[in-house]
Amino acid sequence: ASGKRLAQVAETMGYYPMANIRLIGYAYSGEANAEAVAETRVNKIASILSEKYSIDQSRMELSSKVSEATKPMVEIKLAGNQ
């Protein structure tokens, strides 16, 4: 996720203070330690959103997936009931 994309996510979350987001870190199954890589990716994005943009981590649902297909490193979606 680019810095610009993270800024947009943070701005959106500022507009919707009750909204939560779902972050999904992906790794390709061929990568060494794919599960750990996927977890590291999602945790890094969550840390940036928390530290740089002051988004409370309680508003983030984190998960990771190992995939056969090449996917974005971290997918960000609005979660829950808006």
Side-chain angles (χ1 to χ4, degrees):
S2 70
K4 183 177 180 181
R5 173 79 172 113
L6 294 179
Q8 290 171 336
V9 168
E11 184 178 6
T12 299
M13 292 192 74
Y15 290 137
Y16 302 100
M18 300 303 289
N20 293 326
I21 55 171
R22 179 177 298 125
L23 304 174
I24 306 166
Y26 287 95
Y28 174 60
S29 62
E31 290 183 86
N33 302 313
E35 286 185 23
V37 168
E39 284 183 30
T40 298
R41 286 178 177 150
V42 76
N43 288 331
K44 175 70 174 170
I45 297 302
S47 292
I48 292 168
L49 287 170
S50 176
E51 294 166 17
K52 185 172 182 179
Y53 298 103
S54 301
I55 304 298
D56 194 310
Q57 291 220 3
S58 68
R59 297 179 67 194
M60 300 180 220
E61 177 185 320
L62 308 182
S63 63
S64 57
K65 292 184 180 179
V66 175
S67 174
E68 293 300 319
T70 56
K71 289 208 171 215
M73 287 188 186
V74 177
E75 186 175 27
I76 303 171
K77 299 178 178 178
L78 281 175
N81 303 322
Q82 276 76 27

